[in-house]
């Protein structure tokens, strides 16, 4: 086995040992190469289970957290998914293998442009990336079957809850940026919203308005 193949096998093994057991999620994470979403020096560490820096002072999330969030989202093949926090584009690329359509939003234009270039190169034609303040969601494309937020807010943003279809699921970290945050799952049923808490996590904060590069 080449060192590269060995590292990828270890990567999948780590995901499984940290609780990512859904076969469709593991297959998607096997297909999408995390190294494609990291630049320069840090590319070497692409298969390690740790967050890594990307441009605009942001981070690409830890792979096991990406896996657990994707699994908790219970994406179905016909779903339309909204992601808030495009970052490197890694999470959106994984979702593109599981869903019919993926919309992804970031407040930094530079990150959106970078992610679009990777989506084109990898031929991930079912992803549309926008530069916008994701706290307001994407009213023109709503409602969504699934919503995933990859930056932490103190509470689930109202507009996102409003854009979740009945039967829909939203997964997001909540809590203050300098304190413990919890990953929560919100389900919209006919009788209202139901919440469950999944695990403690650490994310960059959801920030209001557009980035200064925009
Ligand atoms: N999902 C990403 C990691 C996201 S890091 C990946 O797979 O690489 C969190 C991202 O959320 C950052 O890129 C940050 O710019 C973005 N963000 C923070 N607040 C935002 C907001 N209000 N609207 C849109 N994006 C936001």
């Amino acid at each position: 086995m080449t060192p590269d193949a060995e590292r990828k096998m270890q990567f999948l093994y780590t995901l499984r040992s940290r609780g990512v057991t859904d076969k469709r999620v593991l297959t998607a994470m096997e297909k999408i190469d995390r190294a494609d979403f990291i630049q320069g020096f840090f590319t070497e560490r692409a298969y390690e289970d740790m967050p890594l820096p990307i441009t605009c002072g942001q981070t690409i999330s830890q792979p096991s957290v990406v896996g657990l969030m994707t699994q908790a989202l219970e994406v179905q093949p016909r779903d339309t998914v909204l992601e808030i926090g495009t970052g490197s584009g890694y999470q959106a690329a994984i979702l593109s293998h599981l869903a019919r359509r993926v919309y992804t939003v970031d407040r930094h234009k530079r990150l959106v442009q970078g992610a679009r270039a990777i989506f084109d190169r990898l031929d991930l034609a079912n992803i549309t990336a926008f530069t916008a303040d994701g706290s307001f969601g994407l009213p023109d494309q709503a409602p969504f079957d699934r919503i995933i937020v990859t930056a932490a807010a103190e509470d689930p943003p109202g507009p996102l809850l409003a854009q979740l279809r009945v039967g829909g699921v939203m997964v997001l970290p909540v809590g203050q940026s300098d304190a413990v945050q919890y990953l929560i799952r919100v389900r919209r049923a006919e009788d209202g919203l139901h919440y469950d808490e999944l695990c403690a996590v650490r994310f960059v904060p959801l920030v209001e308005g557009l980035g200064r590069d925009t």
Side-chain angles (χ1 to χ4, degrees):
M1 205 186 294
T2 64
D4 209 38
E6 211 166 295
R7 280 199 294 177
K8 284 183 188 168
M9 220 172 88
Q10 178 67 38
F11 176 77
L12 290 169
Y13 176 79
T14 303
L15 290 176
R16 277 194 294 266
S17 69
R18 304 232 157 128
V20 185
T21 50
D22 185 302
K23 264 199 94 190
R24 290 184 67 230
V25 174
L26 286 168
T27 304
M29 292 187 78
E30 191 177 354
K31 280 191 192 142
I32 298 294
D33 190 346
R34 189 167 182 250
D36 285 336
F37 299 83
I38 299 165
Q39 273 151 20
F41 169 71
F42 289 105
T43 316
E44 269 178 37
R45 315 192 72 165
Y47 308 119
E48 291 179 29
D49 194 27
M50 52 162 62
L52 292 171
I54 55 173
T55 45
C56 302
Q58 304 302 315
T59 52
I60 176 170
S61 311
Q62 187 177 343
S64 58
V65 173
V66 171
L68 290 171
M69 286 179 86
T70 310
Q71 181 168 285
L73 203 58
E74 300 170 353
V75 182
Q76 303 301 310
R78 298 179 59 82
D79 283 351
T80 296
V81 183
L82 170 65
E83 178 197 26
I84 307 303
T86 312
S88 65
Y90 180 60
Q91 172 76 73
I94 291 164
L95 291 168
S96 83
H97 274 280
L98 299 168
R100 187 170 58 84
R101 261 227 75 70
V102 178
Y103 292 98
T104 182
V105 177
D106 205 287
R107 60 189 289 277
H108 287 290
K109 188 174 170 187
R110 205 136 73 87
L111 288 171
V112 171
Q113 286 172 338
R116 273 191 196 134
I118 303 172
F119 301 150
D120 282 348
R121 181 149 51 78
L122 300 181
D123 233 349
L124 302 175
N126 63 342
I127 311 178
T128 310
F130 294 100
T131 307
D133 180 349
S135 334
F136 300 103
L138 282 179
D140 291 348
Q141 275 74 28
F144 300 99
D145 302 295
R146 300 290 185 263
I147 300 178
I148 180 169
V149 187
T150 63
E154 281 184 35
D155 294 298
L160 296 183
L161 290 171
Q163 291 172 29
L164 189 61
R165 194 192 291 281
V166 172
V169 179
M170 170 152 90
V171 172
L172 75 163
V174 291
Q176 288 174 349
S177 57
D178 52 355
V180 183
Q181 303 158 358
Y182 289 95
L183 197 61
I184 64 164
R185 175 166 51 196
V186 186
R187 293 179 194 277
R188 176 178 289 286
E190 296 282 359
D191 64 349
L193 298 167
H194 300 271
Y195 294 81
D196 59 294
E197 199 176 283
L198 305 172
C199 57
V201 284
R202 192 159 187 89
F203 274 85
V204 296
L206 190 73
V207 179
E208 269 180 36
L210 295 179
R212 271 186 295 162
D213 59 326
T214 304

